[in-house]
Amino acid sequence: MADSTINIQEEEEEIARRKLNDLIAECPQLHKDEELIRKAFELANEAHRGMRRKSGELYIFHPIAVARIVAVEIGLGVKSVAAALLHDVVEDTDINLTDLESLFGPKVATIVDGLTKLEGVFDQNASLQAENFRKLLVSMIEDVRVILIKLADRLHNMRTLDSMPEHKRYRIAAETLYIYAPIAHRLGLFAVKTELEDLSLKYEHPQIYRMLEEKLKMNEADYQNVIDSIAVPIKERLDALGLKYTIKARPKSIYSIWHKMQKKNVPFEEIYDILAMRIIFEPLDNGMAEKTQCWGIYSILTDLYRPNPDRLRDWVSTPKANGYEALHTTIMSPSGRWVEVQIRSKRMDEVAERGYAAHWKYKEEGDDVAESNDIDNWIANIRQMLENVDSNSLEFLDAFKLNLFASEIMIFTPKGEVKVMPVGSTALDFAFEIHSKLGYHCIGAKINYKLEPISRELKSGDQVEIITSEKQQPKYEWLDFVTTAKAKTKIREIFREERKEAVAKGEKMISEQLQEKKLAINARIIKKMLHSYHVSTKDELFYQVGKGSISLDNLDKVLTQKSSNKWIKMWKLSFGNNKENEEDDDEDESSVSNPSPMPKSKNVVLSDELTQSYTIAPCCNPIPGDDVVAYVDESGAMYLHARRCPQAMKLMSSMGNRIVAAQWESHKVLSYLTIIEITGLDRQGVVSEITKVISFEQNVKMRSVHFEAHDGVFIGNIYLYIYNTDDLQTLINKILKVKGVDTVKRKEKSEQ
Ligand code: MN
């Protein structure tokens, strides 16, 4: 018996070794030092011997798979592949870093060290997680390969997520979407980013994923026809030039389609640019720059097809900050479909697929990247942020995330220099981007020669001249409108000291007031105060008191107040928390021992009886029937978010332990506020007809109506009280039948 087990294991190890050989054979960049890679494999194999993954396969297959992603999909070299093979060795065995250093040299050892420190980085505890995220960035600054290999590790774990228990899948998927995919994007690893997003969606919303997958499959033949019909004339023209090229075409990724559906609030059928086509060419050796040749191909395309003038994106004149270069346009096919076409040289394509790694590829020998590019600037930027970070790492995470997600605009200095900035940047952000001194003393800006306030949001192509005055001092309110991490960090830095003083002052004021009543600051009192003054943390409470925006005049009332968290009781009722003594008079005491009540059950049913107990999140405004999750905050209040709400996604990945699944029961008692937007042709009587349709609907009440008409087209916003999504759909269908009405959509956010 024992013998046969060993035999099976030996056989599997042989398979693993063969996989490694295949990998080396496939990647010329690994031929430089095959020995090092084999040595790394043997050590890893030894270290993990006998271990199996949850899927049942031998553990060593995981590091090999990660090494393959690192070498083939990201294109890294020998040292990275060795480090990938060793990435779990220190964590799982008693081999230490000194051993690794003597065996593989200092570089491989440092990378493995960085990876080991990242193990278990994302913990349940939110602030710890943010802190760990900082560690992740620090290690990235030391050597970008750490984060590249970590991405490969995550990608393989996502590919094999099936073998994880369901409750873990959810969190891993949310975390991947929240942190790893944006980093992959920022590093320009397009293929990795796309796959991470698709896999996250697959596990987070299996039904949606399957639905979209099916729709794409159903339309496959149609797509192929469109592409073929477009491609034939293009090929003729390119061949005539003697150009070497490939044309690739495929639908957009499932995630990006879904993302667009969410953003525009439209069904699959209304996403008009599902098809994307890529022309990758080898530049002709005719003295013409790559860029010029891209425009040459563009010109051929527009000879043949009508381009959409709003959809031209020129990333060849100014590459994106992540290094991406290409020329994008959207053309109309003869059958009336919009198709996005990306024009890239072979080199540009390489950079686009592998991002920063493509720059790395030929440079690994020296271990230094000599030339400075935008990514280097970005990393330098992170380094600066890390140096200035204060105790609030969650805030930092937010600021950082902001810059990961943002798309970019190009702003010109008076001298015509280009700065790439995130969308939403203001004149003040731009001032800080150039120099913090300019930021601190900024009083205004000339945008395209016109004087504008510092809070003015910039548009791509704006030329901006910053106006300063020595008398100007930084203002705390600036934080309300600046959007870049750099500006935020710099402004906070100035006010951190001031804030500290206010916090200390506030704490002193509270404890003095309490002393008069022979009381001291304790968890129970703080909890009451947080609740009554509507602030979320102790620190914030002290600060607000210290700076005078919370007055302690009614402190007596606050202290004598009974907890108004009615829902906690309800909660206990519906979830059978058995501690009887937690009722009534003892409730306050029990809250102390359990300052942040969490439901025992991980699932809450939102019946009409429970409506007192939750708050509808204003950011996404869900109504019964929507896919929702519930977030329970520190004071025990429960907030309902639409599952697709970005805020909810953030909470799911950072505060996963405070999230409970929520389901609606059929609702016919209470109605919820929702907004619909209607557009159409403005003809006489159309508004009154629409309102008539609505008022005939029994289950709907109108709160307000607002219509506007321009150039024969109207747009209307109607605020309604409605029971659930079914009633809403019925109503929408009825309004759509009104003559002249073009679209009826539910709006996510109220503009109040
Ligand atoms: Mn791993």
Side-chain angles (χ1 to χ4, degrees), residues 53 59 62-63 66 87-88 119 150 153 157:
R53 297 189 88 209
Y59 196 88
H62 167 63
V66 175
H87 81 270
D88 283 329
E119 274 307 313
K150 186 71 199 167
D153 185 28
N157 286 335

Side-chain angles (χ1 to χ4, degrees), residues 392-676:
N392 193 343
S393 37
L394 259 183
E395 213 166 64
F396 166 78
L397 182 65
D398 269 348
F400 182 79
K401 283 285 304 168
L402 209 68
N403 284 15
L404 276 180
F405 265 134
S407 31
E408 293 153 349
I409 53 174
M410 278 175 267
I411 306 299
F412 294 89
T413 68
K415 284 184 185 149
E417 245 179 86
V418 185
K419 297 268 174 199
V420 179
M421 313 245 338
V423 166
S425 295
T426 61
L428 187 58
D429 284 301
F430 183 68
F432 276 103
E433 180 64 30
I434 297 173
H435 199 283
S436 48
K437 251 202 180 138
L438 271 188
Y440 289 142
H441 298 296
C442 181
I443 53 167
K446 270 190 184 164
I447 301 176
N448 308 323
Y449 302 103
K450 213 177 131 225
L451 195 62
E452 300 275 6
I454 57 176
S455 59
R456 173 71 73 230
E457 197 177 310
L458 302 176
K459 290 190 304 297
S460 204
D462 280 346
Q463 186 169 42
V464 182
E465 184 187 345
I466 296 299
I467 303 164
T468 59
S469 154
E470 273 308 310
K471 287 202 192 102
Q472 174 72 303
Q473 291 298 323
K475 303 207 166 37
Y476 199 76
E477 298 79 67
W478 287 359
L479 286 172
D480 294 340
F481 60 81
V482 294
T483 61
T484 57
K486 194 169 182 179
K488 284 199 167 169
T489 318
K490 286 288 169 194
I491 298 169
R492 279 215 188 88
E493 208 178 301
I494 289 274
F495 288 99
R496 201 176 309 138
E497 275 312 307
E498 227 170 81
R499 185 182 166 98
K500 261 190 207 153
E501 281 165 26
V503 168
K505 189 176 161 203
E507 184 171 6
K508 203 169 146 232
M509 282 166 71
I510 293 175
S511 75
E512 277 171 4
Q513 290 245 8
L514 289 174
Q515 233 159 33
E516 281 175 27
K517 305 174 206 308
K518 306 251 182 306
L519 289 168
I521 293 180
N522 66 31
R524 185 172 55 92
I525 289 176
I526 292 294
K527 198 192 148 204
K528 277 189 170 177
M529 293 181 76
L530 292 181
H531 189 79
S532 307
Y533 296 123
H534 300 287
V535 286
S536 54
T537 65
K538 191 163 90 176
D539 193 70
E540 186 64 21
L541 173 72
F542 292 164
Y543 174 66
Q544 301 274 4
V545 170
K547 133 181 135 145
S549 42
I550 288 180
S551 128
L552 296 173
D553 289 348
N554 55 353
L555 188 60
D556 278 330
K557 224 167 144 194
V558 170
L559 291 176
T560 50
Q561 197 179 46
K562 279 251 158 124
S563 166
S564 60
N565 280 341
K566 216 183 200 168
W567 78 267
I568 296 177
K569 278 188 211 166
M570 301 260 208
W571 193 277
K572 284 167 190 160
L573 283 176
S574 42
F575 297 107
N577 189 330
N578 290 326
K579 287 183 195 154
E580 297 293 336
N581 64 345
E582 281 187 12
E583 292 200 324
D584 292 322
D585 295 350
D586 287 334
E587 185 175 323
D588 282 341
E589 298 312 314
S590 68
S591 314
V592 176
S593 59
N594 182 15
S596 50
M598 280 300 297
K600 290 237 157 140
S601 159
K602 272 292 185 191
N603 197 338
V604 44
V605 177
L606 305 161
S607 63
D608 272 329
E609 289 72 46
L610 255 156
T611 41
Q612 304 281 323
S613 62
Y614 54 77
T615 310
I616 302 281
C619 50
C620 49
N621 230 14
I623 62 173
D626 282 332
D627 194 4
V628 287
V629 291
Y631 166 68
V632 181
D633 78 2
E634 282 166 42
S635 70
M638 179 161 64
Y639 296 89
L640 287 189
H641 286 271
R643 198 186 285 270
R644 60 171 178 268
C645 167
Q647 187 62 24
M649 264 169 52
K650 186 180 146 194
L651 290 169
M652 273 191 275
S653 61
S654 63
M655 310 274 226
N657 52 334
R658 301 206 140 267
I659 295 285
V660 278
Q663 260 120 40
W664 302 95
E665 227 178 35
S666 74
H667 274 249
K668 283 289 176 196
V669 181
L670 279 148
S671 50
Y672 293 78
L673 183 66
T674 196
I675 310 148
I676 54 172

